Amino acid sequence: MKCKSLACIWSRSPPVHRVTAVAALNEPPTLYTGGSDGSIIWWNLVSSLGKSEMKPVALLCGHAAPIADLGICFPVEASENGKLTSSSNTVSYSSSNNCGALISACSDGVLCVWSRASGHCRRRRKLPPWAGSPFMIRPVGDNARYVCITCCFVNQDHQSPYFLEGNESSVDREFQNPNPSKCTVIIIDSFDLSIVQRVLHGNVPIGPLLSMAVVLPSEDMEKQSVVVIDLFGKVIYLPVVKDPDQKGQNASLLSKNFSTLEVMDWEDGTVEKGSLVAFSKCGYVLALVHRTHCTFRQAENGTIFGKISFLNHQLCLEDKLNVIGGIFLGDDTSISNNDFVKDFVAWNNRGAAVIYRISYSGSVFKSDPLSVIPAVLYPSDTRLSFFFIPLTKYLLRVESICFHVKEHEFWRPHVTIWLLPQQNSEYEELHLECAMFGEGNLFDDWAMDSSSSKTNHGIVEEVTDGKHSSNSRYATYGGGQLVSSSMVISENHLAPYAIVYGFFNGDIEIIRFHMFFTALDSLIESVPQEADSQGQKQHLSGHKGAVLCLASHQMVSKSGGSSLNHVLLSGSMDCTVRLWDLDSGNLITVLHQHVAPVRQIVLPPCQSEYPWSDCFLTVGDDSCVALVSLQTLKVERLFPGHLYFPAKVLWDGVRNYVACLCPNHSDKADALDILYIWDVKTGARERVLRGDAAHSMFDHFHRAINEGLLSGNLMNGNTSASSLVFPVIEPTNSKVPGKGIYPQNTASKIEPKTPESSNSVKGTGAKSGGLTSVFFQSDKHPIKSSCPFPGVSTLCFDLTSLISLCSTNELFEGGSHIGEKDHGNGAGTSTPKDDAYKRANASLEELGSEMPSPHNLNGKSGSVSDESTVATLEHHEWVRSLEGCLLQFSLSLLHLWNVDDELDNLLTTEMKLKRPNSFIVSSGILGDRGSMTLTFPGPNSTLELWKSSSEYSALRSLTMVSLAQHLISLSHSCPSASGALAAFYTRRFAEKVSDIKPPQLQLLVSFWQDDFEHVKMAARSLFHCAASRAIPLPLFSTKGNQHVNSQIYPHEVSEKEHNNTTAVRPSSDGKTETEGDFVEEEAEITSWLESYEVHDWISCVEGTTQDAMTSQIVVAAALAVWYPSLVKPRLSMMVVHPLVKLVMSMNEKYSAAASEILAEGMESTWKACIGSEIPRLIGDVFFQVECVSGASANAYPQHSAASVKIRETLVGILLPSLGMADIPGYLHVIESQIWSTASDSPVHVVALMTLIRIIRGSPRNLAPYLDKVVSFILQTMDPGNSTMRRSCYQSSMTALKEVVRVFPMIALNDASTRLAVGDAIGEINNATIRVYDMQSMSKIKVLDASGPPGHPKLLEKAVSTAISVLSFSPDGEGLVAFSENGLMIRWWSLGSGWWEKLSRNLALVPFTKLIYVHPWEGFSPSSTRSSIMATSVLSDDGQVNSPGSNKGWTEMDRLKLLIHNLDLSYKLEWVGERKVKLLQHSNELGTYHFPNLSSTGKHQ
């Protein structure tokens, strides 16, 4: 499990967003807009005080290419094979499943599914190359879990046909292609994004695609079909199988010869060719939108039954205005082709729209205009694009407005909300202008949050024009700075060092994070004077065009007298590459190896050897790749001859190859992508691959490089390349997790040294300030950075790495160290390769000895001192200060400021946190395979994520509470601030903002067995604080909890009570539950336990389906134990057996937690469910102990650590609880273990230690079985079994002494040679005392402890207390016993040699002397102590009797009462020579004299 939290830092200029696709979700009202750069914006419809507004919430980052289309799906909707729960039930199972999801596709074939509830990407996959480029997404019929995706191979715009600018149309951009088009139609399962059916793949006899729709079966169509239409009205029908669950990429109903498909020509012959602009489907009705009119056809046969002309409603005006789109409003499946009434909207290229009400009844078609949406009032030369999409009762117009900055074009989105006419309104009254109900703008939060001027940072200026102010806004940038590229310098650093922005005007800005690390200033030289004190900004100028790419490289070698240390690289539109000294800001040189704009810079991989480790690659629009050396500052290699632009370039440092993948964007149907492989050393082209082979080989390069990476950044260091270009691939090999600052055996993989390399500590130099001298070279970077889009920087905080960063014990034992030390080899004494080899194979002691002195970290000198570098106390303090700064930096960026002012002041004054006022910071959540959801600036967007995502709430709360607790352990100077911070995220935040989502319980449970105590305790604390608010609805009991239930599930409860109103009827005894209720309750619980596949939180923590399944079980069991009044009564019965199976599975992550819950609730919850199965369960636990600790465990040493941890839980927690729940069963099992297991088995020791815990935890319940207990202990010490005696003797004696200490009716003489065991409970006329010889471990005598002749109690056969306390005489020749039942003391004395004479005789020995004890004050033989409690003891069996009446009690009830009232406080103490004192609770009851005794008294 990985707990990672995101912080997003935005540039001062808002991101541009050219809308290419839209989708809307009605519940909750949500709009998604996809952009030409691959970004997706999540908008929420917010209504307050009668006004609505579209608020941008988050940026969804999962694509690096233009968004082709967006669609709505329901990934957890039931499939026909019943694998997943039905959608109707799923709605109530989890907050993550209350609504649908967004599925997005971009032109490079990447698909993403975004959960609306959790806000993150639940699945991210890439289509195979043969599928082509996605073009359109449509749902498949009535099962919204499956979607149909049409892909094409021709170089189209990959935009919806509705995305048109100015007077453009689809035909303006596409020419009739005489050759058949190549396309693919596939069915995708949105749950896992797998291809379940290939409907079409190959050339089809139609032109460029326009649209696609899925039509359900009807009377004339036996199967549902995919209707594909091109720009010229040619249509083909493709049948789809009814059952999409029959997965298989080759499942197709069509022959491979697709050219024989029947093609229908639906082009209207009355108008010019190619006027078709849009296509829409609703039920069995198809609408074909032309520039001047729209025709309606039947889906089965294409028959035209209606037509609308747009010329009469001012949508078309000669060459200036023409219709560009049209859609049906409302449900897609709500009309048939025979009789219907439906609304339809059409719009033109200036945003004007007319809403029509069309009807068809009795072969009569009718259309009437209802209302009009006015056109926008932008200047006529403004480039615009429009989308219209319905959302609940509104119609949204999504506008994209183009503005210009010098020669560059930028786009901004704007959304207006229009109220739709009602269905039952009259036509004549509604031919009016629609009322605009609200709007939404992306730039509002930047204008509010930015502290800089509009001129300097490009804040949008709003220009209004009176009547429709919202429609007349357009953006102008008065020469301000817009970000063209950005990156975070953090590779090899413990914390991010700086953010670098490249602007379209050619400037570069560097903003350092020094303000967060001022505590280390005493060890680091002061920062440059020219940098300001707050953000540490530095400006670089020189480029004549936009800065398109950036990179930062730390020099490995300093041969040739080079003084370069940290270099900044920048590529520009001016075709140059500039090299800057990052420490001083000076320009080093300008390179002119390209004749076109430079698009990408690739840094050397960490495995590269000298001299390639100080080189870099540049990729230009001239399709040339150049290799430049930072040592010579010259171009060393040129890789020309690429037919197309190398969009993706990978550098394999191990094999020294460069792979350049060049996509073929030609308009030929048989176009193939090309992969060029170059040899870096020789500069020769090794191989050229095309098509599928090219992609397969490139993926092979991808995986090979990914497995060798330490940071997980495929771009090889600090570059501005988008982190979304290459999907994240999990490494196949297992890595040993590195801890500390420099894990063992990693140095050689990172920076191989040259013979002339400097001994300096690698860094940016002290002059740069901040964390410049320390690098993090590990596979666990605590803070990773990325830039998915220009101006958007993300910092990912890994909780585990942060907490385990600077453990003092690991600095030396693990071989971790800071910096490097030269091994003393002079120049030329060893090659770089040999040196790297020696470093890789250095011992841990050698690596630990290389720890530099803190005096050598100030960067003033270029080398580490030659004197000893053994770590000093000063260095340890520096390391602790470093870790403290990292934690403060993390908390400063992750904390939700301005919610609790009192807490904020405490954090800044006591904890020394810094408010990130110099940065625009927001939050985010990680998704599948590197995808991200980043909230926009402003508190409302971040709070929206808290309110909608229980996964985000759990991850962020867990991170903050864990770091706060860990900070207390590091420094005791801020306990109140740390405590207040932890309390805020566990309790107070929910009190201040009542509608935030409680943390996901399953996610918290997954961290219950974390390796770090702070994380473990934080997860458990959050669970208990949130449990009452986060109980899943199928487990929640509505009976008796209406008030609490209404607070947790106000909407769900009312709906459920309404649905069950007629189903529940009170019975005669007042109970409302019926047999049907139990069946329904069990079905709901079972369905929830089996719904683990549908939860979104798994991808948030990089978990597996097994994690989801086991977490469900643990959550249900924990709620049943800790909150039984809030959950359904049947929950414990339904979950106990899965819980037991989980315990016995020895799962590394969850078995220990499951064991704890099973143990804690054994008496209160589980015993009633599995009482008869407890002995078998005890046997299973012993078997697991044998497997883990026995000889068989030696065969699997790799699992020893986890197994030992689980064993400790089983032995220390679960087994004692099982034993106390069923003492007879436990004793029976351990007795059988004596004969069924090996003599040296650890099971015997475990049984003894468990017995000790049972004695301490439940002594009274063990009292009736003391004879069996003692017999077992003595058997483990049997002299005849020397192996068992040797392995168990110490534990056996410990257990025996514990028995003697707890039970007064068992006594051991002073010499520990004799043991006496009396009956604690038994029949008074049949009580005995057994005497054992501790040498032979055998019974040597049985004493008659029955009552004297004529005693009234002898007439009773009932079970009662027999022996209350025993004591050997000081000389060991006598035994005294007191019985509370009868108030008598008896003495057995046989003189010297008695033990030897009678050692073989087991005949009953009568007592020698009898003394009756007078009742003491408070003693009453006819009363029972704790009679009220006795009633509660019997109430477990349903027997509730008054304290004075026991006529209805059974023998079992009497035994329970005796055990409950058994007094174990009696004690016999010898005083004087012949007297014994009787005590109860240390109070003396009397002293009794035995004249025949001659020994002195002694305390027993």
Side-chain angles (χ1 to χ4, degrees), residues 834-1024:
D834 294 336
D835 189 60
Y837 178 82
K838 292 178 181 179
R839 289 175 54 80
N841 294 275
S843 63
L844 300 184
E845 291 77 6
E846 292 172 345
L847 290 175
S849 66
E850 297 178 9
M851 183 77 69
S853 169
H855 299 290
N856 298 322
L857 294 173
N858 57 13
K860 294 181 180 180
S861 64
S863 63
V864 177
S865 175
D866 292 334
E867 62 188 37
S868 175
T869 56
V870 178
T872 63
L873 178 61
E874 182 180 358
H875 173 72
H876 286 294
E877 293 176 356
W878 188 91
V879 171
R880 294 184 66 85
S881 299
L882 172 64
E883 186 176 11
C885 286
L886 289 175
L887 294 178
Q888 291 173 343
F889 173 73
S890 304
L891 292 173
S892 297
L893 292 183
L894 294 177
H895 176 56
L896 188 61
W897 298 93
N898 303 322
V899 174
D900 189 330
D901 295 335
E902 182 180 352
L903 174 64
D904 293 348
N905 293 332
L906 191 62
L907 295 179
T908 54
T909 56
E910 181 178 316
M911 195 178 285
K912 307 301 181 183
L913 297 189
K914 302 291 194 305
R915 285 177 178 262
N917 295 328
S918 300
F919 304 91
I920 302 178
V921 181
S922 67
S923 188
I925 183 173
L926 277 175
D928 186 34
R929 301 197 179 191
S931 56
M932 292 173 283
T933 299
L934 307 176
T935 61
F936 286 109
N940 293 332
S941 297
T942 300
L943 283 177
E944 179 61 32
L945 203 55
W946 281 96
K947 295 176 182 179
S948 62
S949 175
S950 58
E951 292 82 1
Y952 171 82
S953 177
L955 288 172
R956 183 54 57 93
S957 300
L958 180 62
T959 299
M960 299 302 292
V961 176
S962 301
L963 293 181
Q965 294 177 351
H966 185 56
L967 196 58
I968 296 178
S969 65
L970 288 180
S971 174
H972 300 288
S973 60
C974 54
S976 58
S978 299
L981 183 63
F984 175 78
Y985 286 96
T986 53
R987 261 187 344 270
R988 294 178 57 191
F989 188 25
E991 296 171 357
K992 286 183 171 292
V993 185
S994 58
D995 55 344
I996 66 171
K997 280 291 184 70
Q1000 179 88 1
L1001 297 184
Q1002 295 94 313
L1003 192 150
L1004 294 175
V1005 163
S1006 65
F1007 289 92
W1008 275 9
Q1009 296 302 320
D1010 194 83
D1011 294 335
F1012 298 97
E1013 192 66 24
H1014 292 140
V1015 179
K1016 183 190 306 183
M1017 297 307 298
R1020 301 196 177 205
S1021 299
L1022 287 168
F1023 183 94
H1024 287 288

Side-chain angles (χ1 to χ4, degrees), residues 1151-1152 1155-1156 1204-1215:
S1151 287
S1155 300
E1156 294 175 5
V1204 168
K1205 185 176 180 180
I1206 300 174
R1207 176 189 181 277
E1208 292 174 353
T1209 305
L1210 292 177
V1211 174
I1213 298 177
L1214 178 59
L1215 204 53

Side-chain angles (χ1 to χ4, degrees), residues 134-182:
F135 178 69
M136 188 163 290
I137 302 175
R138 291 293 181 266
V140 177
D142 55 354
N143 192 341
R145 172 179 168 178
Y146 300 94
V147 295
C148 181
I149 298 181
T150 300
C151 305
C152 59
F153 292 83
V154 180
N155 184 26
Q156 298 184 7
D157 281 346
H158 301 291
Q159 297 168 358
S160 172
Y162 311 135
F163 177 74
L164 304 172
E165 305 168 10
N167 296 323
E168 294 181 74
S169 68
S170 303
V171 179
D172 295 330
R173 293 179 287 111
E174 298 290 349
F175 299 95
Q176 184 171 3
N177 188 354
N179 298 322
S181 298
K182 183 180 180 181

Side-chain angles (χ1 to χ4, degrees), residues 221-266:
M221 298 173 57
E222 297 181 357
K223 302 173 181 176
Q224 66 177 351
S225 302
V226 177
V227 180
V228 180
I229 185 170
D230 69 0
L231 288 169
F232 309 102
K234 293 182 179 181
V235 179
I236 59 173
Y237 277 77
L238 307 172
V240 182
V241 295
K242 290 185 178 180
D243 185 8
D245 290 327
Q246 297 175 357
K247 295 188 178 183
Q249 296 182 358
N250 297 322
S252 176
L253 298 181
L254 301 178
S255 63
K256 295 183 179 181
N257 186 12
F258 301 112
S259 60
T260 61
L261 289 172
E262 181 182 357
V263 178
M264 294 177 285
D265 190 353
W266 286 359

